[in-house]
């Protein structure tokens, strides 16, 4: 009896959204909202932790899809720009509820982090000159450097898989310090690795990814920012969302070069503060855009920055999901991704050095950075706890001076 009931429930779970009655469709959307609001509110630890939580919720607990299907969806998120864990949430929503499910799952996963970061941005904008807040962030910044170093190391083990990708990573590091455009660099190195890996075999299947990438490159390079208005904030983050591959930490390279060095809208300290708060809060690291948008253009900027950086992920998942199987098997698309990932790693290495110089300024910050590095590399301690500990140490140091 129990097995029969389980079979009936599983059959209902796997039926397509369009085949359901209106009330069943509404119930499915409510379930999606409930699951992803909760995940968005408790998902500390970065993309890997987010994905593990989704696997447990979607495959183990609710049996919405097989693990093989989830892995297929995860694989395709690596072939398109944007935040991987957020795009996985959007893919799951699309599979469960069509375009409505896409919007519900993605928005609910992003919303808790956006609201928390928005609130913290308002507090920061008002009290950032207060010594206690400064000392709190003083202790957090060196911890962030250790966390980013771990991300660079983990990505490096996967990205540097052969000679072309190793060369691409080295070229990207050099190009960062020379000051070349990051977006153009990602596209060119992706194409270079793709061509090197496939030209000898005469492969042509999957080459359709090239025009698509070219469109993205054009979108990214034509959004000129001339003033700090909410429109400028939206266009800037829309550009980033259209072309940013890799984890949320790759965002650092783009923000450091464009916002700090080129446009001088923020200082390196403010950028580190934004990243620290994005890391400390649950959900996508990309909600750093909410924080920066608020600093640049107030409440309208917070909304514009969030929509701008996440909008491409919704559009791309909607476009690509029906092609998951074909893209997953494309040698051209896979090779392009290899080049982009290697270039992203090089950019991350360069920006880590730049931010480290701003964060590690005395003996205490050196100790915090070293201890944090040991904690994340050796003991795999959750990054949220490390950020909290760093903030408390910084604040305590100020109070007892």
């Amino acid at each position: 009896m129990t097995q029969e009931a389980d079979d009936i429930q599983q059959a209902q779970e796997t039926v397509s959204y369009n085949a359901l009655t209106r009330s069943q469709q509404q119930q499915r959307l409510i379930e999606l909202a409930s699951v992803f609001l909760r995940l968005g509110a408790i998902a500390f630890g970065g993309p890997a932790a987010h994905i593990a939580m989704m696997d447990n919720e979607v495959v183990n607990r609710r049996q919405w899809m097989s693990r093989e299907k989830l892995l297929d969806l995860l694989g395709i998120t690596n072939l398109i720009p944007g935040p991987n864990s957020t795009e996985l949430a959007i893919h799951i929503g699309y599979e469960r509820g069509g375009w409505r499910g896409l919007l519900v799952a993605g928005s609910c996963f992003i919303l808790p982090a956006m609201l928390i970061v928005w609130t913290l941005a308002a507090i920061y904008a008002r009290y950032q000159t207060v010594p206690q807040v400064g000392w709190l962030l003083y202790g957090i910044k060196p911890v962030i450097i250790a966390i980013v170093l771990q991300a660079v190391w983990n990505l490096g083990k996967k990205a540097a898989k052969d000679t072309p990708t190793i060369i691409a990573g080295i070229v990207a590091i050099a190009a960062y310090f020379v000051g070349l455009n990051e977006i153009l660099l990602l596209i060119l190195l992706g194409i270079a690795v793709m061509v090197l890996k496939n030209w000898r075999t005469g492969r042509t299947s999957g080459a359709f990814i090239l025009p698509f990438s070219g469109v993205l490159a054009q979108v990214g390079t034509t959004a000129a920012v001339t003033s700090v208005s909410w429109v400028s904030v939206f266009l800037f983050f829309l550009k980033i969302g259209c072309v940013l591959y890799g984890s949320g930490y790759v965002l650092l390279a783009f923000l450091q070069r464009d916002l700090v060095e080129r446009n001088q809208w923020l200082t390196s300290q403010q950028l580190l503060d934004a990243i620290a708060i994005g890391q400390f809060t649950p959900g996508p690291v990309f909600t750093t855009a909410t924080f920066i948008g608020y600093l640049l253009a107030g409440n309208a900027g917070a909304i514009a920055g969030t929509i701008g950086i996440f909008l491409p992920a919704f559009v791309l998942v909607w476009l690509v999901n029906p092609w998951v199987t074909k893209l997953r098997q494309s040698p051209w698309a896979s090779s392009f991704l290899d080049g982009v990932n290697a270039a992203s790693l090089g950019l991350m290495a360069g920006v880590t050095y730049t931010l480290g110089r701003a964060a590690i300024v005395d003996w205490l910050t050196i100790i915090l950075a070293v201890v944090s590095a040991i904690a994340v590399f050796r003991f795999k301690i959750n990054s949220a706890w490390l950020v909290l500990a760093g903030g408390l140490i910084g604040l305590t140091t100020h109070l007892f001076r």
Side-chain angles (χ1 to χ4, degrees):
M1 181 66 179
T2 303
Q3 182 63 43
E4 182 180 355
D6 289 343
D7 291 341
I8 293 174
Q9 182 179 1
Q10 187 171 1
Q12 291 174 341
E13 295 290 355
T14 56
V15 69
S16 70
Y17 177 77
N18 291 331
L20 298 174
T21 65
R22 182 174 296 273
S23 61
Q24 289 173 327
Q25 288 179 343
Q26 291 176 348
Q27 180 61 31
R28 183 170 286 191
L29 295 178
I30 291 172
E31 289 176 349
L32 279 171
S34 173
V35 167
F36 284 101
L37 274 173
R38 181 164 54 82
L39 287 177
I42 65 172
F44 289 92
H50 303 169
I51 292 166
M53 292 179 186
M54 291 181 200
D55 173 75
N56 182 60
E57 189 72 35
V58 172
V59 177
N60 293 337
R61 291 190 58 197
R62 298 179 180 271
Q63 298 180 339
W64 282 353
M65 61 183 63
S66 67
R67 180 160 284 108
E68 290 75 16
K69 179 65 175 179
L70 187 71
L71 288 173
D72 260 352
L73 297 177
L74 178 59
I76 202 62
T77 64
N78 289 316
L79 295 176
I80 59 177
N84 291 350
S85 59
T86 304
E87 287 174 343
L88 182 60
I90 297 171
H91 270 296
I92 294 169
Y94 188 85
E95 293 285 333
R96 291 288 296 165
W99 67 267
R100 294 179 181 85
L102 173 148
L103 293 174
V104 168
S107 300
C108 288
F109 185 64
I110 296 166
L111 184 61
M114 175 191 174
L115 294 177
I116 294 171
V117 171
W118 192 347
T119 301
L120 292 176
I123 295 172
Y124 175 88
R126 183 173 181 178
Y127 297 109
Q128 61 180 316
T129 57
V130 176
Q132 288 84 347
V133 175
W135 281 97
L136 185 72
L137 294 171
Y138 160 84
I140 290 176
K141 291 169 187 175
V143 176
I144 295 298
I145 299 302
I147 293 170
V148 175
L149 280 174
Q150 183 197 34
V152 170
W153 174 256
N154 290 337
L155 284 176
K157 291 188 293 184
K158 296 181 180 180
K161 56 180 61 176
D162 50 32
T163 300
T165 51
I166 292 173
I167 293 174
I170 294 173
V171 170
I173 294 174
Y176 172 82
F177 287 106
V178 170
L180 296 182
N181 183 277
E182 292 83 4
I183 295 171
L184 181 62
L185 184 68
L186 287 178
I187 298 298
L188 290 180
L189 288 177
I191 293 174
V193 172
M194 179 180 65
V195 172
L196 284 173
K197 285 190 172 187
N198 290 279
W199 74 277
R200 292 178 183 273
T201 63
R203 291 171 176 161
T204 57
S205 62
F208 62 87
I209 195 73
L210 279 171
F212 184 58
S213 299
V215 170
L216 292 180
Q218 293 169 13
V219 171
T221 55
T222 56
V225 177
T226 57
S227 62
V228 188
S229 65
W230 71 265
V231 175
S232 298
V233 171
F234 172 78
L235 292 176
F236 173 78
F237 282 108
L238 180 67
K239 173 187 70 175
I240 298 297
C242 282
V243 297
L244 187 64
Y245 282 85
S247 74
Y249 299 112
V250 183
L251 182 64
L252 291 174
F254 291 90
L255 298 182
Q256 171 70 22
R257 183 57 50 81
D258 285 347
L259 294 182
V260 177
E261 298 174 12
R262 289 181 183 148
N263 297 322
Q264 298 182 344
W265 288 354
L266 298 176
T267 65
S268 290
Q269 293 295 328
Q270 287 176 315
L271 177 58
L272 272 172
D273 295 344
I275 297 299
I277 288 175
Q279 179 66 37
F280 179 75
T281 53
V285 177
F286 275 38
T287 49
T288 297
T290 308
F291 187 93
I292 294 173
Y294 185 90
L295 294 186
L296 295 177
N299 292 324
I303 297 172
T306 307
I307 294 175
I309 201 166
F310 285 109
L311 180 60
F314 285 88
V315 175
L316 287 170
V317 169
W318 177 66
L319 291 173
V320 170
N321 186 275
W323 300 87
V324 167
T325 302
K326 187 172 182 179
L327 283 177
R328 190 72 176 85
Q329 297 172 348
S330 167
W332 283 85
S334 296
S335 299
F336 177 78
L337 176 65
D338 288 342
V340 169
N341 282 346
S344 297
L345 175 70
L347 293 176
M348 287 176 63
V351 78
T352 301
Y353 172 79
T354 301
L355 294 179
R357 292 180 60 186
I360 302 173
V361 295
D362 54 26
W363 66 268
L364 180 57
T365 51
I366 292 173
I367 292 173
L368 281 173
V370 171
V371 172
S372 298
I374 294 172
V376 295
F377 280 97
R378 178 66 179 86
F379 298 103
K380 313 296 182 185
I381 295 177
N382 189 300
S383 59
W385 292 113
L386 290 175
V387 171
L388 178 61
L392 290 176
I393 290 172
L395 185 58
T396 301
T397 301
H398 168 69
L399 293 176
F400 286 93
R401 279 195 172 188

